């Protein structure tokens, strides 16, 4: 018995230390070079398999050195077996197959996407949004997210206004926003999801609660990871689009990829432009007109008159891909510029005129990743970004305005001045300079097949300096400064066991953050002016841990579970304030700590002849200590507060569930419905300072839409106008249940039930290069609201034209 035990131990050690594996990549195609999508590519007799993507490319990882047979199967091609002796780390294997009978590729129903299914079955509560159809339509990325199960995009007005993302009750900085794994805040306010069109995005990953190792950070509510299109390294491509529509909105983008096949030299270029007046009509209960005698006309119909937004961005990358010394080595430069007219503060209490924010960012980036670095199974990647950002806030207009864009008058016909001389408080001309560094690195080692250890490190630092040209102390060169530095280290162990049925991910995290706030004040003593330096320092260290798991009962039945203790450090916006977003500083704010639990399952895709059905659901629980959120006003007689401040609310709990049902018929009809419902309760029963019972104990936290539903229908018609053409028809419906925007009970401050319906169509010409589309949003001009009761646009019409070239 001892000998048998010792033999097994030695075998495992040998497997872990010396067993060699290979990665096989390639393309599945017909004799004429046509790509075969969604074909199953498998190492026969093993669990190693993948599916070819839309361009026929596939990837098989962890293939042991030995003689194997690569099996390709699909409902549209004949099965093919290709012998291969694996004895080196990498193979490039193109597999040519024959079509099955007279079936055409465009007549075959594609029922699953390899990357989407792989991500959604790893144990995390995650939804993957594919952008292929949305890229051809007049849909903003935020609109695409807003239709996703469990996601609510909170916006303070039209395009370009402040945006927050709510994932099942967690909002603000609790939810991370990433661009290819790098936090979007690094790029500055001039580069955000409002001006990144879906046509530049490969897919969007929405994680709720527990996060995978490559998105390690100090986050509680989950994350949204935008994966930008990178193109296939074996094909060159060019795409461009332009759209125009209501509110004088123009949007255009262009992207191109070039790779020299022999040397591996790769260049990626992309750019986008967005310009809009945002002059949509408002008529809700917070739109008003104040007469000279003080009488207020409610539900006043007018157009937003100072809400324009313009952004311009360019991204340039060059380097090498798929070469011996790197899978990818890219240097990048990103430049962006935006101009934003600020129509109001946190609420629609009063309109502004002349308050603007200009933002510029110059960003340098480095990307490097290499599988099998130095030895088989050792993988390394690093993404580094350094940005120089500037934001300028101008607010010097002293007159008070009505919502029709005219200056308010008193009883004598004289113009009414604001209380402090500016639209929001005192006049200001503020320049904010930030230098931000963000480095994310990962080192992983495959111990043996299905088992991986990894270490992830995130370093983030911001050096911020504020200059107010209207304050005399700035003339002395004594401007306020704010410094923040953060480290997050994560240790992960990933395993696939029980014939790859059980997938687990166990992790431990260390968090450390330090901040320094320096300011100066002028003191007067007996006529003598002295300058006093004020400095506030803070340093905190915490740890967290968690587990994510999935169990595959059958290919179409998967159980999912995840649990985590997470820590979220306050960011510079919450600690130091944000003038451009009407946020006051709070240097004393503390981290929030959350216990997160998710349980769910995924069923499908089940196929019944020409019908496909899939279902997914998730139950979630959050217990948050010292929750960070914008301060909610408790005064019913003074709700027109334009400033806010992030504070620690205390103990809060959320319990809820979500579900999504999808149905497809052939390649013609696609129907999707999802819903999310939760409670988000204030659970701080007694005030720690006074011991008194809290007024709003066990009450729903305000300004959170807790019950939402979304549905959409898509229908495809082939050869309707021209042979080989495609016409797509779209319909979508969004529902938001009523919710309070303030703590006290008040019908006036309850956002009403909302129904918004959109329709659209796009026509793809036979060449497959040109697509034209038209979209009508909020078809019935419904009265819909957003963050703190801000009214959203009514009916709007948009036109778009797309052009693309591949493989030139």
């Amino acid at each position: 018995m001892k000998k048998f035990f010792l033999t097994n131990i030695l075998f495992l050690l040998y497997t872990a230390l010396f067993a060699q594996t290979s990665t096989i990549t390639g393309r599945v195609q017909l004799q004429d070079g046509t790509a075969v999508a969604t074909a199953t590519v498998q190492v026969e007799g093993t669990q190693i398999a993948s599916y070819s993507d839309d361009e026929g490319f596939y990837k098989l990882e962890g293939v042991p050195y030995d003689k194997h047979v690569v099996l390709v199967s699909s409902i549209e091609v004949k099965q093919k077996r290709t012998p291969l002796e694996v004895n080196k780390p990498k193979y490039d294997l193109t597999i040519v197959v024959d079509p099955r009978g007279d079936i055409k590729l465009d007549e075959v129903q594609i029922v699953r996407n390899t990357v989407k299914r792989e991500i959604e079955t790893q144990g995390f509560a995650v939804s993957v949004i594919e952008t292929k159809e949305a890229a051809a339509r007049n849909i903003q990325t935020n609109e695409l997210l807003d239709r996703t199960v469990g996601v609510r995009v909170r916006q303070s007005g039209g395009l370009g206004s402040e945006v927050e993302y709510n994932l099942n009750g967690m909002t603000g900085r609790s939810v991370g926003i990433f661009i290819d794994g790098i936090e979007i805040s690094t790029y500055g306010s001039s580069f955000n999801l409002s001006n990144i069109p879906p046509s530049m995005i490969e897919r969007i990953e929405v994680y709720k609660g527990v996060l995978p190792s490559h998105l390690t950070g100090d986050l509680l509510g989950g994350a949204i990871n935008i994966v930008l299109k990178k193109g296939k390294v074996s094909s060159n491509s060019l795409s461009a689009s332009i759209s125009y529509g209501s509110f004088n909105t123009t949007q255009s983008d262009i992207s191109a990829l070039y790779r020299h096949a022999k040397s591996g030299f790769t260049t990626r270029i992309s750019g986008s432009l967005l310009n809009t007046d945002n002059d949509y009509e408002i008529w809700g209960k917070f739109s008003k007109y104040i007469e000279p005698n003080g009488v207020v006309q409610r539900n006043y119909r007018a157009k937003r008159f100072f809400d324009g937004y313009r952004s311009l961005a360019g991204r340039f990358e060059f380097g090498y891909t798929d070469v011996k010394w790197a899978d990818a080595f890219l240097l990048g430069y990103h430049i962006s510029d935006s101009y934003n007219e600020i129509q109001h503060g946190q609420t629609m209490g009063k309109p502004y005129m002349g308050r603007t924010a200009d933002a510029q960012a110059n960003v340098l980036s480095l990307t490097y990743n290499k599988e099998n670095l130095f030895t088989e199974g050792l993988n390394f990647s690093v993404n580094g970004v350094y940005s120089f950002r500037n934001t300028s806030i101008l607010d010097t207009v002293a007159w008070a305005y009505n919502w029709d864009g005219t200056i308010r008058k008193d009883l004598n016909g004289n113009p009414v001045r604001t209380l402090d001389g500016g639209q929001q408080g005192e006049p200001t001309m503020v320049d904010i300079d930030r230098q931000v560094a963000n480095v994310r690195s990962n080192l992983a080692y495959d111990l043996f097949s299905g088992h991986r250890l990894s270490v992830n490190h995130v370093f983030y630092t911001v050096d911020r300096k504020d200059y107010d040209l209207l304050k005399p102390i700035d003339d002395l060169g004594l401007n306020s400064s704010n410094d923040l530095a953060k480290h997050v280290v994560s240790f992960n162990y990933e395993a696939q066991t029980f014939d790859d049925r059980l997938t687990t991910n166990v992790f431990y995290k260390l968090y450390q953050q330090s901040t320094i706030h320096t300011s100066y004040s002028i003191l007067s003593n007996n006529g003598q002016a002295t300058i006093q330096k004020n400095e506030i320092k803070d340093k905190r260290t915490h740890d967290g841990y968690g587990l994510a798991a999935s169990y595959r009962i059958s290919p179409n039945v998967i159980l999912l579970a995840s649990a985590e203790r997470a820590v979220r450090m306050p960011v510079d916006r919450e600690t130091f304030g944000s003038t451009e977003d009407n946020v006051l500083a709070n240097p004393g704010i503390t981290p929030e700590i959350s216990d997160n639990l998710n349980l769910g399952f995924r069923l499908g895709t089940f196929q019944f002849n020409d019908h496909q059905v899939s279902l997914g659901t998730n139950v979630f629980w959050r217990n948050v200590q010292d929750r960070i959120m914008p301060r909610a006003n408790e005064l019913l007689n003074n709700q027109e507060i334009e400033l806010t401040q992030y504070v620690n609310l205390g103990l809060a709990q959320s319990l809820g569930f979500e579900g999504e049902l999808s149905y497809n018929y052939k390649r013609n009809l696609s129907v999707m419905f999802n819903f999310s419902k939760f409670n988000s309760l204030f659970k701080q029963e007694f005030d720690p300072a006074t011991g008194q019972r809290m007024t709003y104990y066990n009450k729903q936290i305000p300004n959170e839409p807790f019950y939402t539903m979304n549905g959409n229908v898509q229908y495809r018609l082939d050869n309707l106008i021209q042979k080989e053409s495609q016409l797509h028809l779209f319909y979508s419906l969004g529902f938001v249940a009523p919710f309070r925007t303030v703590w006290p009970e008040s019908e006036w401050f309850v956002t009403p039930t909302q129904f918004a319906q959109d329709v659209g169509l796009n026509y793809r010409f036979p060449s497959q290069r040109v697509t034209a589309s038209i979209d009508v949003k909020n078809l019935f001009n419904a009265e819909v609201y957003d963050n703190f009761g801000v009214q959203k646009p009514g009916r709007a019409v948009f036109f778009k034209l797309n052009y693309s070239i591949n493989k030139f």
Side-chain angles (χ1 to χ4, degrees), residues 506-553:
V506 182
F507 55 88
Y508 175 77
K509 296 181 182 180
L510 289 173
Y511 309 84
Q512 188 272 324
Q513 178 169 295
S514 59
T515 61
I516 302 176
H517 171 70
T518 305
S519 62
Y520 300 88
S521 55
I522 299 178
L523 303 179
S524 179
N525 185 15
N526 297 325
Q528 295 292 322
T530 59
I531 297 175
Q532 177 176 293
K533 179 180 179 180
N534 309 299
E535 192 171 75
I536 301 175
K537 294 184 178 181
D538 184 72
K539 186 174 183 178
R540 301 177 185 273
T541 302
H542 291 271
D543 64 350
Y545 42 85
L547 165 71
S550 68
Y551 185 76
R552 178 169 49 85
I553 297 176

Side-chain angles (χ1 to χ4, degrees), residues 48-90:
I48 303 171
S50 73
Y51 299 92
S52 58
D53 63 16
D54 288 344
E55 295 185 23
F57 293 97
Y58 70 90
K59 187 174 187 179
L60 300 170
E61 296 181 291
V63 182
Y65 279 26
D66 203 347
K67 292 182 179 180
H68 294 288
V69 174
V70 179
L71 174 65
V72 176
S73 59
S74 172
I75 60 175
E76 73 264 20
V77 301
K78 294 178 181 179
Q79 194 175 78
K80 182 165 184 178
R81 287 177 168 84
T82 303
L84 180 67
E85 184 173 355
V86 178
N87 55 19
K88 61 181 182 179
K90 283 190 175 183

Side-chain angles (χ1 to χ4, degrees), residues 189-224:
S189 59
S190 55
F191 187 67
N192 55 62
L193 300 193
S194 295
N195 51 39
I196 304 176
S199 56
M200 295 175 63
I201 298 172
E202 182 70 29
R203 68 180 182 275
I204 305 174
E205 303 164 355
V206 181
Y207 291 89
K208 296 154 220 173
V210 183
L211 297 176
S213 58
H214 69 281
L215 297 179
T216 291
D218 58 325
L219 303 165
L220 301 185
I224 298 169

